[in-house]
Amino acid sequence: MLLKTFGWSFAVTAIGLVAAVFYGGWEAFGIVAILSVLEISLSFDNAVVNAGILKKMNAFWQKIFLTVGVLIAVFGMRLVFPVVIVAISAKMGPIEAVDLALNNKDHYQELVTDAHPAIAAFGGMFLLMIFLDFIFEDRDIQWLRWIERPLAKLGKVDMLSVCISLIVLLITSFTFATHAHQHGGAHVDKAQTVLIAGIAGLITYMIVGGLSGYFEDKLEEEEEREHEEEEEAARSGKKRSPVVLAGQAAFFMFLYLEVLDASFSFDGVIGAFAITNDIVLMALGLGIGAMYVRSLTVYLVRQGTLDDYVYLEHGAHYAIGALAVLLMVTIQYEINEVITGLVGVVLIAWSFWSSVRRNRALAAAEGEAGSDEKAEIPSGV
């Protein structure tokens, strides 16, 4: 089971590390290995959240997530995305941007760093909306009840998460603009860029998340209809296309997953520049890490881990909230990537331990109930 799920990840790791040795020797090997670990640690919460969505999709779309989704994640976000950032921010063509990334790495890193405020604002707003919509929803299972109960009551107010996100964005852009004025006004124009990028992230979430939610609501009706059609097809001896079986709901959930993965990958891409500005090594290291995140997502789904450890999803969403705040803070202040990664790992580890304690308490309660029932049964019966 483990080899089947992580087999491609192991293969990509071997190929990537060998390619790194041929490209830049053992130093490149070490850099790629470090980047892989960095990506996995920063994106572990991504895997938990992905698993919560992926378990609602059928086997066909889970395969699409592992094939097409991997291509988008590895080549799109970890290789193409940094080049696109430079092309847009420096107003140059894609070929020029690629040439710059390969032949003038220091200037390339400067341009990507220069675009960081806009990237952080977009990703921060998208992730903040995910966290707020989760925390404001009334749930049967609550982890930190002293926080979640009152927030669930507040969540009954319409559009509250949007209002809070916009307030956070306005405060961030205003603070950034004020800081720029006090230090010569070099980044005054960027404050406007931060505001626009943040609004774009909010709009992206509302469009993609809204469509995903709309079709998810219809998923039960669609599954019932498809079940009837499957029975009819079985009686007539005809086979139906797996794409038809997947439905619109699965497609939009897949789209939502890809945008979510893109938002999670922002900190990994930006953090990678603290280790290397070589676009090839960056793509190899982050690509290997992205493969493990994908495999871990599928492993969590197939093992039913989220059903067994019910607080894991809560911990992952708290990690998302923390990452959203950290991204917004990094618009103006530098934060070490180790801190970013540790926050997510600590929150998920805490939620896992809470789930284990809950399962033990439930098992003990069931054991006591069983003993009481046996004691009440008269002997000889």
Side-chain angles (χ1 to χ4, degrees):
M1 175 66 184
L2 194 66
L3 185 61
K4 182 180 178 182
T5 306
F6 287 89
W8 278 105
S9 298
F10 295 150
V12 170
T13 302
I15 294 169
L17 291 175
V18 169
V21 173
F22 278 103
Y23 177 77
W26 290 108
E27 182 181 352
F29 175 94
I31 291 171
V32 169
I34 292 169
L35 285 172
S36 302
V37 174
L38 172 72
E39 176 68 9
I40 294 169
S41 63
L42 288 176
S43 301
F44 187 79
D45 46 357
N46 187 6
V48 177
V49 176
N50 283 353
I53 300 168
L54 196 66
K55 69 180 181 180
K56 301 173 186 176
M57 300 163 71
N58 63 17
F60 170 77
W61 279 95
Q62 288 183 10
K63 288 179 182 178
I64 291 293
F65 178 74
L66 277 175
T67 52
V68 178
V70 165
L71 290 175
I72 295 172
V74 175
F75 295 103
M77 287 308 302
R78 275 75 179 183
L79 181 61
V80 178
F81 174 67
V83 175
V84 171
I85 290 174
V86 170
I88 294 172
S89 60
K91 297 178 181 178
M92 62 174 63
I95 297 175
E96 291 177 87
V98 171
D99 180 66
L100 187 69
L102 294 173
N103 300 315
N104 194 345
K105 295 168 187 173
D106 291 335
H107 184 48
Y108 171 78
Q109 180 179 347
E110 288 176 12
L111 290 174
V112 174
T113 305
D114 197 50
H116 173 71
I119 299 167
F122 181 93
M125 281 296 99
F126 189 90
L127 294 177
L128 184 61
M129 281 296 298
I130 293 172
F131 169 70
L132 292 175
D133 277 352
F134 179 87
I135 205 70
F136 284 142
E137 186 177 340
D138 192 10
R139 299 178 180 278
D140 294 331
I141 296 174
Q142 294 176 331
W143 178 33
L144 305 178
R145 293 181 181 178
W146 58 278
I147 295 176
E148 294 175 21
R149 278 182 178 175
L151 288 178
K153 292 178 181 178
L154 281 174
K156 294 177 182 178
V157 178
D158 288 340
M159 304 298 288
L160 182 61
S161 55
V162 176
C163 292
I164 291 175
S165 296
L166 286 173
I167 290 169
V168 170
L169 180 60
L170 285 171
I171 292 172
T172 303
S173 59
F174 178 76
T175 306
F176 188 58
T178 304
H179 180 80
H181 276 294
Q182 291 174 349
H183 293 79
H187 300 292
V188 175
D189 291 339
K190 283 189 183 178
Q192 184 178 356
T193 304
V194 165
L195 190 61
I196 294 170
I199 292 172
L202 186 63
I203 291 171
T204 302
Y205 172 83
M206 293 179 74
I207 292 173
V208 179
L211 287 171
S212 176
Y214 171 76
F215 285 105
E216 190 177 347
D217 290 339
K218 291 182 173 289
L219 191 56
E220 288 186 15
E221 297 176 12
E222 187 175 317
E223 285 176 344
E224 289 178 8
R225 177 180 58 79
E226 288 176 351
H227 181 66
E228 291 174 2
E229 290 180 4
E230 278 182 317
E231 289 181 345
E232 186 180 339
R235 284 194 296 269
S236 62
K238 295 179 181 178
K239 291 185 178 180
R240 297 179 67 230
S241 168
V243 179
V244 177
L245 283 173
Q248 291 174 311
F251 170 75
F252 279 101
M253 278 194 282
F254 170 75
L255 182 62
Y256 178 78
L257 274 174
E258 292 308 313
V259 179
L260 181 63
D261 179 75
S263 298
F264 269 105
S265 69
F266 289 149
D267 61 325
V269 172
I270 299 301
F273 282 99
I275 298 168
T276 181
N277 57 11
D278 191 311
I279 189 67
V280 175
L281 297 181
M282 197 180 299
L284 287 173
L286 297 182
I288 291 171
M291 284 295 298
Y292 278 100
V293 172
R294 279 297 196 275
S295 297
L296 184 60
T297 298
V298 174
Y299 180 79
L300 291 172
V301 172
R302 290 175 179 170
Q303 293 294 106
T305 306
L306 296 184
D307 295 328
D308 295 335
Y309 303 98
V310 294
Y311 296 140
L312 264 182
E313 194 171 0
H314 292 73
H317 278 87
Y318 278 104
I320 286 176
L323 179 57
V325 172
L326 288 171
L327 274 174
M328 299 305 286
V329 171
T330 58
I331 291 173
Q332 187 168 325
Y333 303 101
E334 188 175 340
I335 297 178
N336 194 294
E337 288 73 28
V338 174
I339 296 174
T340 308
L342 280 178
V343 168
V345 171
V346 168
L347 284 168
I348 290 174
W350 182 15
S351 65
F352 176 79
W353 175 241
S354 297
S355 300
V356 171
R357 290 178 60 189
R358 175 184 181 273
N359 292 344
R360 287 177 180 173
L362 289 174
E366 287 176 4
E368 289 177 6
S371 299
D372 292 341
E373 287 179 6
K374 288 179 181 178
E376 290 174 4
I377 298 174
S379 60
V381 176

